[in-house]
Amino acid sequence: MSDHKPSGITRWIFTTNHKDIGTLYLWFAFIMFFVGGSMAMVIRAELLQPGMQVVDPLFFNSMTTMHGLIMVFGAVMPAMVGFANWMVPMMIGAPDMALPRMNNWSFWILPFAGTMLVSTLFMEGGGPAFGWTFYAPLSTTFAPQSTDFFIFAVHLLGFSSIMGAINIIATILNMRAPGMTLMKMPLFVWTWLITAFLLIAVMPVLAGAVTMMLTDRNFGTSFFDAAGGGDPVLFQHVFWFFGHPEVYIMILPSFGIVSQIIPTFARKQLFGYASMVYATAAIAFLSFIVWAHHMFTVGMPVAGELYFTYATVMIAVPTAVKVFNWTATMWKGSMTFETPMLWAVGFVFLFTVGGFTGLMMGVAPADFQYHDTYFIVAHFHYVLVPGAVFAIIGGIYYWIPKWTGNMYDEKLGKLHFWLSAISVNILFFPQHFIGLAGMPRRIPDYAVQFSEFNFMSSIGGFVFGATQLLFLYIVIKCIRGGEKATDQVWDNPEGLEWTIPSPAPYHTFETAPQIK
Amino acid sequence: MPASKITKKLSSLICMALVLIPGLAFADYELNLTESVTALGKEIYDLHMLVLIICTVVCVAVFAVIIYSLINHRKSKGAKPATFHESATVEFIWTVIPFIILVIIAVPATKVLLKIEDASNPDLTIKATGWQWKWEYEYLDNGVHFFSNLDKASNDARQLGSKTDPRTVPNYLLDVDNPIVVPVNKKVRILTTANDVIHAWWVPELAVKRDAIPGFINESWFKAEKTGVYRGQCAELCGKDHGFMPIVVNVVSDSEYNDWVASQKKAMAAAKASAGKTWSKADLMKRGEEVYNASCAACHQANGQGIPGVFPGIAGSKVATGPVEGHIDIVINGKPGTAMQAFGTQLSPADSAAVITFQRNAFGNNTGDVVQPSQISR
């Protein structure tokens, strides 16, 4: 069996190999992470001190909007699909994804969609400036011309996600090695299976929302225009019916990654495998029936507010089960703290902080005061940055020796973790305080009593941003060389991916392994 | 020296020391939710504290277990991995306990929510309409009606490249030209709606936040128990100047409130009476520039150039240099489907005439036209 691989640029353009496509997804996500991150730097520079110093308010709004869109659709989601492409076939003993040509297409849509989205910033009237949630009618009647390009970009991103999800489901359900029953699958595979169903369920809803926007803008319909008999709040219901499952689309695979890393470095089996699977499924189910907690202040009937409060706080139960499980896995283990474990433990701590503020916001009467303040900004950044992003980075450190055949620089990896973990808290923790004290989100300038914490937050932001350049250096250094990784890489880890050579050959599991 | 004098001396010394460290002297490290001046707001605050304390206690307990494990169960300390996993009892317990805690939170949350949503039998009703980027207030009980804009000092200081230090502006970004005035200890119902996009009316100390949605009316209420000035901001992203449309509520005694209503009615009558007056061009231009900067410059810009692709310029525009009737029409009635508002309800005929005259003679639009208040018909 020869490990033949094509070469040159056409290898990447025409590739149907799950590992190549995984690499493409991860690099695309990495680039977008820096694009979106540099927009965050503009935001934090403007908010460094009171008064307007750097950009005008309209451009500030398009920075917050594009930062959110790019980080969600360009960085976190593609990174997760990149992991799925690389790891799912290797974890279930399959030779490749079930639908390799579609796999190629679902990736190659992304650079075009991403470029179209970013290009709106250079159009007359500026880019989208209505927040990543693009509430109508600010995004319809009152939006710049470039919004139509934004709508098309969202459609393309949706195609890509749906095709990726179909592929992942088809792969997991049809291509498992003999003996690999569903309840023997690694947890990462389970979380992605459930995530893929979420994607197929909600991406069409997002497509519906932006299509209604498109016809409202250009073809005289009034879905979201009260003057024509429509309802602006309808937009929010449709958006959040997509949007709430979307946040779990970003976090469930993170749970999966962390659930792979912790047992390896605790040298102990995951405490409750079955309950982790059920908890993931429960969170996914609940994610469909809680959407209106994002919109408590729109003036719902009190019965609706009560229902969405009760349903929302229920999510704390399966989420708590997950945190308890990770804790119990570490308990009486024999832990070492290589870089991936540091990120995973950092995830467990800081995601929990974000989870608790989420519970606070689920309580409607209190949420009336938190809603649309920096408290919300702090909450969702805690679950997305030291949450999803930490899991992604930890996952890269965990599997990159398998991908490249080289160990990363352990010293620099640890430095990267500690700098990130400290600065991310300086960046986001003070935002809880200014939010509670009354600073609304999405404002380019603020009353002077919020100056000190904003200053702190900006400094944390600059350090966090600069630290990620170190990550880029570590990744490139690891690809170019370094200590050779063993096939197992870590100390006796569980999983089929550790039974194949490092670096993983271009073709793996052409003969299916037998699972006992 | 008596004790009180010593403390006074000491505190002034400390103050002086603080002034020497400018960053700290004016530092404001408010950490928790704003305390309210309404009974309901205090209940919301208590609910917030209940949930916060529960979360903190659980969080500390879980973290303590993890940290203990991180310290003691490490390989370098010779820990041998245990092999236990899956325990129905443990898993049942840690599913049920969070559930019980949630019920403990849900009970007071339900009680408070039912009170918040009961806006019946108000003593006073005010309709607040959100506009890009100002608030319109209408007292439904006595007909008082006015617009409320960001005050001039804040508006000047917040311009990109302004040389003014915001710290020198009193209540920077939280002050308006016309605050709303309400009597103390009265149940005030706020009806919120909007003219263009969605806004949200929020005053933290009154514990009210409600979206203002075009085409729909939402209600909320407060009963302030203390006189004073309470400040808030728009809480829903509403476009370019979302950060610059504050809300100021002045809570006063009954008699002060009645005096204020009387003076407002007088001013409204005076504005109506002046509609027939003839103005000189110089006066119109002077007044027009003030109105332009307060009402037009946010979109059309102080230099009249607009923002290409978003807001058209006034300089050399077809409207401002074309027939006067067309110009008056667009200012008074707006342009539906765009951000151009109908200013007929916002500006007095005199102000409308002044601003139109100004636009037709400024920014190089040297039409020479003079528009009088009598030409403005509602």
Side-chain angles (χ1 to χ4, degrees), chain A residues 36-381:
Chain A
S38 49
M39 292 172 180
M41 295 301 109
V42 174
I43 295 168
R44 284 317 324 171
E46 180 53 64
L47 294 174
L48 182 68
Q49 43 183 325
M52 303 294 296
Q53 293 90 12
V54 185
V55 292
D56 65 72
L58 195 62
F59 189 73
F60 180 91
N61 287 349
S62 60
M63 284 292 102
T64 56
T65 305
M66 297 294 273
H67 164 73
L69 290 168
I70 287 173
M71 287 305 199
V72 169
F73 294 105
V76 174
M77 288 171 71
M80 292 305 181
V81 183
F83 276 113
N85 260 287
W86 255 105
M87 301 318 300
V88 166
M90 275 160 52
M91 284 176 150
I92 61 171
D96 205 309
M97 297 291 279
L99 307 159
R101 282 178 196 280
M102 193 168 86
N103 204 11
N104 172 290
W105 193 30
S106 66
F107 171 76
W108 276 108
I109 287 177
L110 279 184
F112 295 95
T115 308
M116 191 183 301
L117 187 58
V118 175
S119 73
T120 56
L121 285 175
F122 304 99
M123 294 178 188
E124 195 184 52
F130 32 64
W132 86 276
T133 53
F134 49 100
Y135 281 7
L138 187 60
S139 62
T140 54
T141 318
F142 296 85
Q145 291 287 312
S146 63
T147 306
D148 296 325
F149 287 87
F150 151 83
I151 290 171
F152 192 40
V154 170
H155 271 134
L156 290 178
L157 292 165
F159 291 156
S160 166
S161 293
I162 291 171
M163 285 192 286
I166 290 172
N167 212 344
I168 288 165
I169 292 173
T171 306
I172 295 173
L173 293 186
N174 295 302
M175 298 187 63
R176 297 192 309 280
M180 169 82 69
T181 59
L182 284 177
M183 290 308 276
K184 277 189 186 163
M185 295 195 307
L187 211 72
F188 176 72
V189 179
W190 254 117
T191 53
W192 242 117
L193 179 64
I194 291 167
T195 301
F197 277 105
L198 290 183
L199 276 168
I200 291 181
V202 301
M203 291 311 284
V205 178
L206 176 67
V210 293
T211 306
M212 286 189 270
M213 268 174 70
L214 187 74
T215 61
D216 266 14
R217 286 174 55 79
N218 299 299
F219 307 118
T221 59
S222 301
F223 289 107
F224 308 130
D225 182 1
D231 180 354
V233 180
L234 171 67
F235 175 86
Q236 298 182 27
H237 282 291
V238 178
F239 179 84
W240 286 114
F241 188 81
F242 147 79
H244 198 75
E246 169 68 20
V247 305
Y248 293 101
I249 287 166
M250 291 189 278
I251 205 68
L252 292 184
S254 313
F255 290 164
I257 293 170
V258 170
S259 303
Q260 300 299 129
I261 295 175
I262 290 179
T264 297
F265 296 96
R267 290 167 183 74
K268 191 162 154 278
Q269 198 178 342
L270 191 66
F271 177 79
Y273 171 86
S275 67
M276 283 298 242
V277 172
Y278 301 145
T280 308
I283 292 173
F285 169 73
L286 288 171
S287 76
F288 283 107
I289 57 169
V290 296
W291 74 90
H293 66 216
H294 294 270
M295 34 193 287
F296 276 137
T297 62
V298 297
M300 273 183 284
V302 67
E305 290 173 340
L306 284 174
Y307 160 73
F308 281 109
T309 294
Y310 300 151
T312 300
V313 296
M314 280 297 292
I315 299 178
V317 175
T319 312
V321 167
K322 291 207 160 265
V323 174
F324 294 150
N325 257 304
W326 291 319
T327 308
T329 306
M330 289 189 268
W331 188 257
K332 297 221 177 223
S334 172
M335 280 186 274
T336 51
F337 298 94
E338 286 87 345
T339 307
M341 182 63 164
L342 289 178
W343 292 95
V345 173
F347 171 95
V348 173
F349 277 109
L350 299 178
F351 173 80
T352 304
V353 172
F356 275 121
T357 50
L359 172 63
M360 292 174 70
M361 294 168 353
V363 180
D367 182 69
F368 287 135
Q369 296 318 302
Y370 311 141
H371 181 72
D372 268 332
T373 67
Y374 259 80
F375 193 70
I376 305 293
V377 177
H379 157 74
F380 68 72
H381 280 97

Side-chain angles (χ1 to χ4, degrees), chain A residues 406-467:
Chain A
N406 305 320
M407 295 305 288
Y408 57 86
D409 187 324
E410 188 69 55
K411 256 193 197 142
L412 287 182
K414 283 184 172 155
L415 177 69
H416 175 212
F417 169 76
W418 285 109
L419 279 175
S420 299
I422 293 166
S423 59
V424 86
N425 283 296
I426 299 174
L427 166 56
F428 293 122
F429 211 83
Q431 296 183 359
H432 290 116
F433 304 139
I434 47 176
L436 290 176
M439 177 164 160
R441 67 191 281 207
R442 293 168 165 164
I443 57 173
D445 193 7
Y446 46 81
V448 292
Q449 66 262 38
F450 306 125
S451 306
E452 282 74 24
F453 284 130
N454 267 300
F455 184 80
M456 242 181 253
S457 181
S458 287
I459 298 299
F462 300 147
V463 176
F464 184 80
T467 304

Side-chain angles (χ1 to χ4, degrees), chain B residues 45-359:
Chain B
Y45 183 85
D46 291 342
L47 179 66
H48 155 77
M49 286 311 291
L50 171 75
V51 185
L52 180 62
I53 289 167
I54 288 175
C55 286
T56 310
V57 169
V58 177
C59 196
V60 167
V62 173
F63 283 6
V65 175
I66 299 178
I67 290 168
Y68 178 87
S69 182
L70 291 178
I71 292 170
N72 293 295
H73 304 147
R74 50 170 71 204
K75 200 183 175 194
S76 57
K77 287 210 168 172
K80 293 272 172 293
T83 53
F84 67 83
H85 66 95
E86 315 264 346
S87 156
T89 322
V90 172
E91 288 172 73
F92 179 76
I93 291 170
W94 73 32
T95 309
V96 170
I97 290 178
F99 187 80
I100 292 169
I101 293 175
L102 293 179
V103 173
I104 294 171
I105 293 172
V107 172
T110 305
K111 279 187 194 152
V112 176
L113 189 63
L114 292 175
K115 282 188 198 168
I116 290 176
E117 295 298 344
D118 180 13
S120 56
N121 303 319
D123 299 311
L124 176 69
T125 300
I126 303 172
K127 185 172 132 203
T129 307
W131 295 65
Q132 282 184 324
W133 293 279
K134 67 199 112 190
W135 290 96
E136 176 189 9
Y137 295 108
E138 211 177 328
Y139 285 60
L140 299 186
D141 305 281
N142 53 31
V144 170
H145 171 244
F146 56 90
F147 279 80
S148 182
N149 291 281
L150 180 67
D151 77 312
K152 191 169 179 308
S154 290
N155 198 30
D156 291 345
R158 65 106 176 170
Q159 300 300 329
L160 186 60
S162 92
K163 296 278 178 282
T164 318
D165 180 358
R167 291 179 182 84
T168 63
V169 179
N171 297 310
Y172 178 60
L173 298 186
L174 294 178
D175 211 357
V176 295
D177 52 2
N178 302 310
I180 59 174
V181 177
V182 297
V184 70
N185 284 323
K186 290 273 158 55
K187 183 169 183 176
V188 180
R189 182 169 64 149
I190 302 286
L191 301 178
T192 43
T193 184
N195 174 65
D196 33 49
V197 301
I198 302 177
H199 304 264
W201 198 87
W202 179 34
V203 181
E205 282 155 311
L206 301 176
V208 171
K209 183 188 288 146
R210 197 51 58 118
D211 287 1
I213 300 168
F216 292 79
I217 291 181
N218 274 330
E219 62 176 11
S220 50
W221 66 277
F222 64 85
K223 189 173 180 180
E225 292 174 340
K226 237 169 76 186
T227 58
V229 182
Y230 305 111
R231 298 169 195 280
Q233 283 178 276
C234 175
E236 180 66 60
L237 178 63
C238 55
K240 180 169 85 71
D241 284 351
H242 160 56
F244 308 104
M245 48 181 292
I247 295 148
V248 178
V249 179
N250 200 353
V251 177
V252 298
S253 69
D254 269 352
S255 63
E256 281 175 276
Y257 171 71
N258 291 333
D259 293 348
W260 176 81
V261 170
S263 71
Q264 287 291 309
K265 285 189 168 164
K266 223 168 155 184
M268 283 162 73
K272 218 171 192 175
S274 73
K277 192 183 140 197
T278 301
W279 292 50
S280 74
K281 187 179 174 190
D283 286 347
L284 285 169
M285 288 296 283
K286 186 165 166 286
R287 177 71 194 139
E289 186 171 7
E290 289 164 19
V291 175
Y292 181 85
N293 286 330
S295 296
C296 314
C299 298
H300 297 296
Q301 304 299 298
N303 59 9
Q305 297 296 325
I307 300 177
V310 191
F311 305 117
I314 299 293
S317 90
K318 277 195 193 127
V319 174
T321 56
V324 178
E325 294 71 33
H327 194 173
I328 293 175
D329 177 61
I330 200 166
V331 170
I332 299 304
N333 300 315
K335 191 172 176 189
T338 71
M340 181 61 197
Q341 304 168 355
F343 283 89
T345 54
Q346 301 184 42
L347 302 177
S348 67
D351 285 349
S352 299
V355 80
I356 293 169
T357 305
F358 174 75
Q359 290 181 353

